[in-house]
Amino acid sequence: MDCLDSILVQTHVMLEVIVVDDGSTDETPELMRGVRDPRVRYHRQENRERGAARNAGLKFARGSYINYFDSDDLYHPCLHELWNFISVNDKPPVVYGSLEMVSEDGRSLGRVKTLNAGFRRNILHNNFLACGSVFLRRDVALENFFSEDRRLSGAEDWELWLRIYSEHDFTEARMTIFKQRQHPFRSLNSSMAERAVTRERAFADHVNRHKDALLNRFTGSELEAFIADRWTFMALTEFETGNKRIALRCLLRSLGTSRNVLWRRRFWAVMKKLVVSWD
């Protein structure tokens, strides 16, 4: 309930909260029955993954801007300031702010930093945004639903940002929007590795599917390099779970997709691991 409380205490701003329960097996239904705030609406559905849950919430939403927020994160008291920023800047199609990472006990781990200059380069090389830090004007959101491809789970927001950016500029509001909880690191097991590889393959498929639109912002070689990066990530994942031969095939696939991976640290990191460990 901390997440919901951090939203409802925001002052001097009109808001609504659509709580989408995507087939939870915990006490969420009971907790929501105790919420009496008229700004909150609750919708429960069978589990269909995050993309489908967010799309369901969008269909119920009536606000002029849409924000997708995960249940284990916390808003900063920023919405009044953010709305003033949106109004002064003629209600841009997409607005984003920064996020602060915190430990499970609330200790600050610092803000998420970008690695490159300019939004375009950053969004192409790393998903430095999180759903909670992005606000979409209602018309933009209704034209751009999340993919409901279960294979894409974990990268569905990044895929959406790329699609939206092919049509609209992202305007930065220089303020911290929310705190994102970082959970303890868990060793990568075979099941997790399989899901990660499946996700990266699906991501590459989606980029290819929307290539014509993405070419409005990115060059063909940049998109090829992006897909090659997906293959190097798969190579690293396969290596970490002991699948060295598959890792090598993924690495060669990345090189065959784009020679630009030769300038990427991850490619050489995986190559070094393979050379050192090969028997």
Side-chain angles (χ1 to χ4, degrees):
M1 297 299 288
D2 289 346
C3 170
L4 189 57
D5 290 341
S6 73
I7 300 172
L8 296 178
V9 297
Q10 304 277 335
T11 58
H12 302 97
V13 63
M14 294 181 63
L15 57 85
E16 63 176 355
V17 181
I18 313 298
V19 177
V20 179
D21 182 346
D22 192 42
S24 69
T25 57
D26 57 18
E27 69 278 9
T28 298
E30 290 75 18
L31 288 172
M32 291 308 303
R33 278 195 285 270
V35 177
R36 303 300 183 201
D37 195 305
R39 295 173 294 176
V40 179
R41 285 185 286 165
Y42 174 64
H43 170 73
R44 181 175 172 84
Q45 63 185 29
E46 293 184 1
N47 177 260
R48 292 165 52 205
E49 274 294 350
R50 284 173 286 189
R54 291 165 183 157
N55 290 341
L58 171 60
K59 293 173 184 177
F60 286 105
R62 298 167 297 191
S64 55
Y65 275 79
I66 309 297
N67 173 250
Y68 305 99
F69 204 75
D70 292 335
S71 61
D72 54 353
D73 298 326
L74 300 170
Y75 260 115
H76 274 287
C78 64
L79 291 185
H80 176 59
E81 181 185 0
L82 180 64
W83 179 247
N84 286 339
F85 175 87
I86 288 172
S87 300
V88 168
N89 285 276
D90 297 323
K91 299 183 179 178
V94 187
V95 177
Y96 71 96
S98 60
L99 61 108
E100 178 187 5
M101 297 178 293
V102 297
S103 63
E104 286 198 311
D105 60 5
R107 180 171 49 88
S108 177
L109 302 175
R111 295 184 182 182
V112 171
K113 297 180 179 179
T114 54
L115 302 176
N116 302 287
F119 182 88
R120 179 178 175 277
R121 289 191 65 191
N122 280 304
I123 199 60
L124 186 62
H125 293 297
N126 179 49
N127 185 18
F128 68 99
L129 301 174
C131 280
S133 65
V134 179
F135 287 74
L136 304 177
R137 201 172 60 206
R138 180 180 176 80
D139 61 302
V140 174
L142 289 172
E143 292 172 356
N144 294 277
F145 285 88
F146 281 93
S147 167
E148 298 189 9
D149 183 350
R150 280 183 176 269
R151 301 175 305 152
L152 195 60
S153 181
E156 72 288 334
D157 57 337
W158 194 0
E159 190 274 339
L160 179 64
W161 309 147
L162 290 174
R163 271 193 286 124
I164 293 177
Y165 183 59
S166 70
E167 300 178 353
H168 302 285
D169 289 330
F170 280 54
T171 300
E172 181 182 9
R174 295 185 178 275
M175 63 185 74
T176 301
I177 303 296
F178 77 104
K179 298 179 181 180
Q180 185 179 64
R181 286 196 176 104
Q182 302 297 300
H183 300 290
F185 175 79
R186 296 177 180 174
S187 297
L188 189 67
N189 58 41
S190 297
S191 176
M192 292 170 62
E194 183 178 355
R195 289 197 297 271
V197 170
T198 297
R199 179 190 66 229
E200 296 302 313
R201 285 180 179 270
F203 202 172
D205 290 344
H206 279 261
V207 169
N208 276 321
R209 189 179 310 162
H210 298 287
K211 186 175 181 179
D212 288 346
L214 295 174
L215 286 172
N216 289 333
R217 291 284 191 174
F218 307 108
T219 66
S221 62
E222 286 175 325
L223 295 178
E224 289 171 355
F226 182 88
I227 293 172
D229 279 344
R230 312 278 63 76
W231 284 102
T232 59
F233 185 87
M234 286 184 253
L236 178 60
T237 303
E238 295 288 6
F239 176 86
E240 295 295 342
T241 51
N243 300 321
K244 296 179 185 177
R245 295 186 183 279
I246 298 177
L248 178 59
R249 289 200 293 269
C250 289
L251 203 63
L252 292 176
R253 179 70 179 269
S254 73
L255 185 59
T257 302
S258 173
R259 295 297 177 90
N260 286 330
V261 292
L262 293 172
W263 283 267
R264 300 288 281 171
R265 291 182 180 178
R266 187 192 297 141
F267 178 89
W268 291 108
V270 179
M271 179 64 77
K272 181 179 179 180
K273 287 174 180 289
L274 286 169
V275 170
V276 171
S277 66
W278 204 268
D279 50 32

